[in-house]
Amino acid sequence: LVLPPGEHQSGVLRLIVAHQLGSPAINKLRIGGLEYLNFSTLEYHLRFSRDRESCKPHALIEPIWMRQRWMIDFCLRNVWLMRILNCCGPLLQVSTACICLVGSGPALYVAFAFACSFHLLSIPLLGIVFPFNIPCYVIALLPNS
């Protein structure tokens, strides 16, 4: 990003992170409606993730070996856990986006923790890696980084 370091650069970076996390959550709810929050949505995605081979040709984005079938099976056996995870995903995304837009100080550490936990949990369950997101979160959300 070609902006001088300082308040303007961090503001732009936080806006980008807010868009990156908030847009998918809003689209999930816009397209799926409140029905998206039904645990059967996550159940479908987990079964698809467990039972398929990679759909993408790039080993960096979707390494098959990182998908943990035991963890997927554990979630599929526990409906209560799927309910929690399925509601927490969009909630984490939207709340992190809001914190990015209006938060400061300690709230940005919370946003960083939310964003990282969302992505780190996506790796073993869905087998999808976003390798550049966490370094972007460090730069955008953590002061003096």
Side-chain angles (χ1 to χ4, degrees):
L1 191 61
V2 187
L3 283 174
E7 186 179 316
H8 296 296
Q9 184 185 47
S10 65
V12 170
L13 292 173
R14 286 171 44 193
L15 180 64
I16 291 168
V17 169
H19 180 274
Q20 175 190 18
L21 288 165
S23 292
I26 290 168
N27 280 328
K28 288 171 189 171
L29 297 174
R30 184 181 62 83
I31 293 168
L34 290 179
E35 187 64 27
Y36 180 85
L37 298 176
N38 189 322
F39 80 93
S40 63
T41 304
L42 182 60
E43 180 182 30
Y44 170 81
H45 289 298
L46 289 176
R47 287 188 191 287
F48 182 78
S49 175
R50 182 193 63 190
D51 298 338
R52 70 180 166 88
E53 292 302 317
S54 178
C55 293
K56 299 175 185 155
H58 202 289
L60 178 66
I61 303 300
E62 195 175 293
I64 295 172
W65 61 271
M66 291 186 93
R67 197 175 331 138
Q68 300 299 309
R69 285 183 170 81
W70 69 269
M71 190 181 275
I72 295 169
D73 289 336
F74 180 79
C75 288
L76 289 171
R77 284 191 307 269
N78 295 287
V79 173
W80 62 270
L81 182 59
M82 283 194 296
R83 289 179 199 268
I84 291 170
L85 290 174
N86 202 46
C87 289
C88 285
L91 180 65
L92 275 176
Q93 288 177 304
V94 169
S95 61
T96 304
C98 292
I99 293 170
C100 288
L101 295 174
V102 297
S104 63
L108 295 177
Y109 286 99
V110 172
F112 176 76
F114 282 177
C116 290
S117 63
F118 177 80
H119 285 292
L120 291 175
L121 194 56
S122 297
I123 295 169
L125 288 179
L126 300 174
I128 302 171
V129 178
F130 300 94
F132 308 111
N133 289 15
I134 292 177
C136 289
Y137 300 153
V138 169
I139 294 169
L141 302 175
L142 300 182
N144 303 323
S145 55

